[in-house]
Amino acid sequence: MEEARESGAVQLKGAVYILPATEEHEEFCQWLIGEVKSMGGDGAFVRTADVRTMTDAEIRRLFTAQADQEYHRIESL
């Protein structure tokens, strides 16, 4: 979902996106789920302490790689 990516979320697997746990991100997720449901879709917001299939370092690398791609896109404008 473009809105999730624009918020800084990284796609973990399939339709799962992750964000750092902040009040701002929680509000964004609740808003986004409302938008999806208003269009007939479904969504869920889950807060977790860890992603057991990945280390914290692997998750940080996902965020860094996405930010790097965005910086390179901006530099090429």
Side-chain angles (χ1 to χ4, degrees):
M1 220 174 198
E2 190 62 30
E3 290 89 354
R5 185 175 173 93
E6 288 175 3
S7 74
V10 295
Q11 189 169 10
L12 186 58
K13 292 186 179 187
V16 175
Y17 288 83
I18 58 175
L19 282 168
T22 67
E23 187 175 314
E24 180 181 344
H25 290 150
E26 185 171 338
E27 289 174 9
F28 170 75
C29 288
Q30 296 298 344
W31 169 83
L32 186 58
I33 290 167
E35 291 293 305
V36 169
K37 287 184 176 184
S38 75
M39 292 184 269
D42 196 14
F45 169 75
V46 177
R47 177 175 266 186
T48 183
D50 64 344
V51 178
R52 292 187 181 182
T53 59
M54 298 178 75
T55 66
D56 288 348
E58 290 170 323
I59 292 170
R60 281 191 295 276
R61 278 194 294 274
L62 286 174
F63 282 99
T64 301
Q66 181 169 299
D68 287 347
Q69 287 178 354
E70 183 62 15
Y71 291 140
H72 291 303
R73 186 190 68 77
I74 291 169
E75 285 179 334
S76 67
L77 294 178

